Amino acid sequence: MLTKVYGSAVFGVEATTITVEVNVDTGIGYHLVGLPDNAIKESNYRIAAALQNNGYRIPGKKLILNMSPADLRKEGSAYDLTLAMGILIATAQIDSKYPIAEYIIMGELSLDGSLQPIRGALPIAIKAKQEGFKAFILPKQNAKEAAIVEGIDVFGVDSIKEVIDFFSEGIALEQTLVDMEAEFYQHLVNPEFDFCDVKGQESIKRCMEIAAAGGHNIILIGPPGSGKTMLAKRLPSILPPMTLQESLETTKIHSVAGRTIEKGGIMTSRPFRSPHHTISDVALVGGGTYPQPGEISLAHNGVLFLDELPEFKRGVLEVMRQPLEDRDVTISRAKFTVTYPSSFMLVASMNPSPSGYFNDPDAPMTSSPQEMQRYLGKVSGPLLDRIDIHIEVTPVPFDKLSDERKGESSILIRERVTKARLLQAERFISSEKIHYNAQMGVKQIRKYCELDTSSLSLLKNAMERLNLSARAYDRILKVARTIADLEASETINGAHISEAIQYRSLDRDGWFG
């Protein structure tokens, strides 16, 4: 008897439907084909124990199980439940009351028949809906995430016994229902980290507001204890709330990486990723034998914070250059290629010298010019060129630290940022891939960043004096455009250009010689 059961495989952030064909023939043997990895090859032991502990068995007949398309590599243990149900129906141990071909069935089996969570539930549910499947049966831990997708029934189960009883006895499964919009707006609460907690640093807060308004990358340079990390952690609190589309994109990536199991449902807050400086290039940009998303993709639609930037391996930082420009990362293997989105805001911090202090006569220790040159040389010029805003952070004096008055809250700053973003969204409404100023290409810069004669002269003098690159020129125009948007100004004037030029600290004399 031949039976077909359906599962799904995830490549990148997209799913592909997998047909599991189970054929029973005369003879003895268990043959699993269709390019399964070791985790799937070992499934027969888990399936045999789970069936035996629930009153069923793998019969002593010749079983051929084919995972189609057979030329596509399958990985992971999520096919256990799919294979087990195919075996039960093909060997006539159960008589299904429902057409099993209308269901996507996924789940990892424990030896007692209980189910363990899987990865990629959201992209699988989206694909199942697109291909017209009636329902999706999966472990209960993943049900809320999959139920975000409207138009397909989602049943979360705890064990294989529930699935068997559903198909053989018609015992109803409990459908998981989620009101996506209610779930989304319910979690738009006050931020955990608020800018009102930051004492002083008004100029730095202004920088962070500009960066958030235009989606600009930013680097903070200052001695230890000046508040760089504290400021960076509060940046997501002033970014505009995620749209439903952004939430789905972000949830898909975290689902593929298996990071949505504990939270469940849709991600409503912008991600903040802060990898340690010992991270490898594969962990940062993604990859592996079976490519997984890296930190830059997990930070999609959010913030990637690199603390102590010069301490990162130079090779690790260099592989970020292309994703910073293209806002996605493509990982190629011999037989396939996957692309992960990586549209994130980069926030980096660094000390101005190995000792942490620069040109400070009261510093406990200082560094020689040679040591400073070697330290700053760990970060390449091309990478710094891709960072729009460079700003020096100075220590906060005692009188401001002891001031009991609170600063401006993140909610008020976010309102101004959101208004600026709305202007940009209207400006780029005809551009599919451009949503805010930092994403502008040369064509958009020439169109939307026109300067009058005095502003052009001011910028020319700055370019010649600071010896700025062509990329830095574009960065200054983008930042000036954002400053103008915060003031709701249609044109860029000299004051906007002057402020934007100030945010190129690492281009000044005294840093790189």
Side-chain angles (χ1 to χ4, degrees):
M1 180 178 177
L2 176 66
T3 298
K4 292 185 180 182
V5 189
Y6 294 90
S8 194
V10 178
F11 294 93
V13 291
E14 303 299 330
T16 300
T17 299
I18 301 296
T19 304
V20 175
E21 301 172 313
V22 183
N23 187 67
V24 183
D25 205 348
T26 55
I28 297 176
Y30 183 96
H31 307 282
L32 180 59
V33 296
L35 287 183
D37 71 350
N38 287 333
I40 302 175
K41 290 177 182 176
E42 294 170 352
S43 65
N44 64 315
Y45 299 108
R46 294 190 294 272
I47 292 169
L51 293 182
Q52 184 176 356
N53 288 323
N54 285 275
Y56 299 91
R57 61 190 179 88
I58 295 181
K61 296 182 179 180
K62 185 177 182 180
L63 293 177
I64 301 174
L65 298 91
N66 178 46
M67 305 181 77
S68 174
D71 61 344
L72 195 66
R73 182 77 174 174
K74 326 297 184 309
E75 63 167 330
S77 53
Y79 300 97
D80 291 358
L81 184 60
T82 321
L83 295 166
M85 293 306 299
I87 290 170
L88 289 174
I89 293 175
T91 57
Q93 293 185 68
I94 64 172
D95 184 16
S96 179
K97 293 183 178 296
Y98 306 106
I100 200 168
E102 295 181 356
Y103 295 79
I104 290 283
I105 302 173
M106 297 289 287
E108 177 188 335
L109 284 172
S110 295
L111 300 186
D112 62 354
S114 59
L115 293 176
Q116 300 299 319
I118 64 173
R119 295 184 176 190
L122 180 56
I124 291 172
I126 292 171
K127 187 67 173 180
K129 177 196 172 183
Q130 291 173 351
E131 297 197 349
F133 284 92
K134 179 181 178 181
F136 183 14
I137 298 174
L138 76 168
K140 187 166 284 185
Q141 298 97 314
N142 302 109
K144 193 174 179 182
E145 176 189 326
I148 293 170
V149 182
E150 297 179 351
I152 183 170
D153 296 338
V154 174
F155 300 111
V157 294
D158 288 315
S159 69
I160 189 174
K161 189 71 169 66
E162 293 179 43
V163 185
I164 293 171
D165 290 344
F166 171 70
F167 282 107
S168 62
E169 306 295 334
I171 298 175
L173 295 174
E174 183 180 352
Q175 184 178 351
T176 303
L177 297 172
V178 172
D179 184 339
M180 187 172 71
E181 291 198 12
E183 183 85 8
F184 177 74
Y185 291 110
Q186 178 185 355
H187 290 87
L188 292 179
V189 294
N190 292 332
E192 179 184 357
F193 298 105
D194 199 301
F195 265 96
C196 69
D197 301 326
V198 181
K199 304 289 186 181
Q201 304 290 24
E202 300 306 323
S203 61
I204 314 303
K205 290 179 187 176
R206 167 69 174 171
C207 260
M208 302 295 267
E209 181 179 339
I210 293 169
H216 302 289
N217 301 322
I218 182 171
I219 183 168
L220 309 172
I221 311 112
S226 56
K228 302 185 295 294
T229 302
M230 186 179 189
L231 287 159
K233 283 185 176 180
R234 281 153 179 76
L235 182 59
S237 69
I238 64 172
L239 290 172
M242 281 205 290
T243 63
L244 284 172
Q245 183 60 38
E246 286 177 328
S247 291
L248 282 171
E249 288 176 0
T250 307
T251 305
K252 279 174 71 175
I253 297 168
H254 285 250
S255 174
V256 169
R259 297 178 182 271
T260 56
I261 295 168
E262 293 181 4
K263 300 176 183 177
I266 192 169
M267 290 184 64
T268 57
S269 57
R270 293 189 180 274
F272 179 85
R273 307 294 302 178
S274 180
H276 193 260
H277 64 259
T278 55
I279 192 171
S280 68
D281 52 354
V282 170
L284 186 67
V285 302
T289 306
Y290 305 110
Q292 291 293 305
E295 289 290 337
I296 64 171
S297 295
L298 294 173
H300 181 61
N301 290 323
V303 175
L304 177 69
F305 177 46
L306 301 184
D307 197 7
E308 301 299 341
L309 187 68
E311 300 300 331
F312 285 78
K313 299 183 186 74
R314 185 167 181 136
V316 171
L317 296 178
E318 293 305 296
V319 296
M320 267 203 320
R321 283 162 53 176
Q322 177 264 332
L324 279 171
E325 289 287 325
D326 298 342
R327 299 191 178 272
D328 58 36
V329 57
T330 300
I331 302 165
S332 298
R333 293 293 178 264
K335 294 185 178 180
F336 61 91
T337 299
V338 296
T339 299
Y340 290 112
S342 58
S343 180
F344 60 91
M345 271 187 67
L346 173 64
V347 181
S349 74
M350 60 183 285
N351 293 327
S353 65
S355 66
Y357 302 92
F358 173 61
N359 287 348
D360 185 355
D362 299 323
M365 58 186 296
T366 57
S367 302
S368 68
Q370 292 79 13
E371 288 174 327
M372 280 198 57
Q373 194 72 24
R374 188 162 54 248
Y375 178 75
L376 294 171
K378 292 181 180 179
V379 184
S380 71
L383 179 63
L384 287 175
D385 270 350
R386 286 169 169 81
I387 299 177
D388 300 349
I389 298 175
H390 310 160
I391 188 69
E392 295 176 56
V393 184
T394 55
V396 182
F398 177 78
D399 59 337
K400 289 192 176 181
L401 279 175
S402 57
D403 191 345
E404 293 297 327
R405 290 175 299 178
K406 286 200 169 186
E408 192 176 22
S409 72
S410 291
I411 294 175
L412 294 175
I413 300 173
R414 185 168 63 188
E415 287 177 2
R416 295 197 296 268
V417 168
T418 303
K419 286 179 182 177
R421 284 284 185 104
L422 289 174
L423 288 176
Q424 295 165 46
E426 188 176 340
R427 178 184 301 136
F428 304 123
I429 194 168
S430 59
S431 301
E432 186 178 340
K433 294 186 177 180
I434 300 176
H435 307 289
Y436 45 84
N437 290 337
Q439 295 176 322
M440 284 193 293
V442 175
K443 183 179 178 181
Q444 290 77 26
I445 291 173
R446 300 295 174 263
K447 182 176 181 181
Y448 299 115
C449 301
E450 292 183 359
L451 302 180
D452 56 29
T453 306
S454 60
S455 299
L456 196 60
S457 176
L458 176 65
L459 182 54
K460 178 185 177 184
N461 291 335
M463 292 285 296
E464 292 174 349
R465 183 166 59 86
L466 298 175
N467 194 26
L468 299 180
S469 68
R471 186 178 278 116
Y473 170 79
D474 288 344
R475 300 298 189 221
I476 290 171
L477 289 178
K478 288 181 184 181
V479 172
R481 178 67 267 171
T482 300
I483 296 169
D485 288 340
L486 283 167
E487 297 179 2
S489 172
E490 291 187 9
T491 58
I492 300 173
N493 60 38
H496 302 147
I497 290 291
S498 296
E499 186 176 358
I501 291 170
Q502 291 177 28
Y503 302 143
R504 301 296 301 181
S505 293
L506 291 180
D507 295 321
R508 298 179 191 164
D509 291 340
W511 285 107
F512 285 96

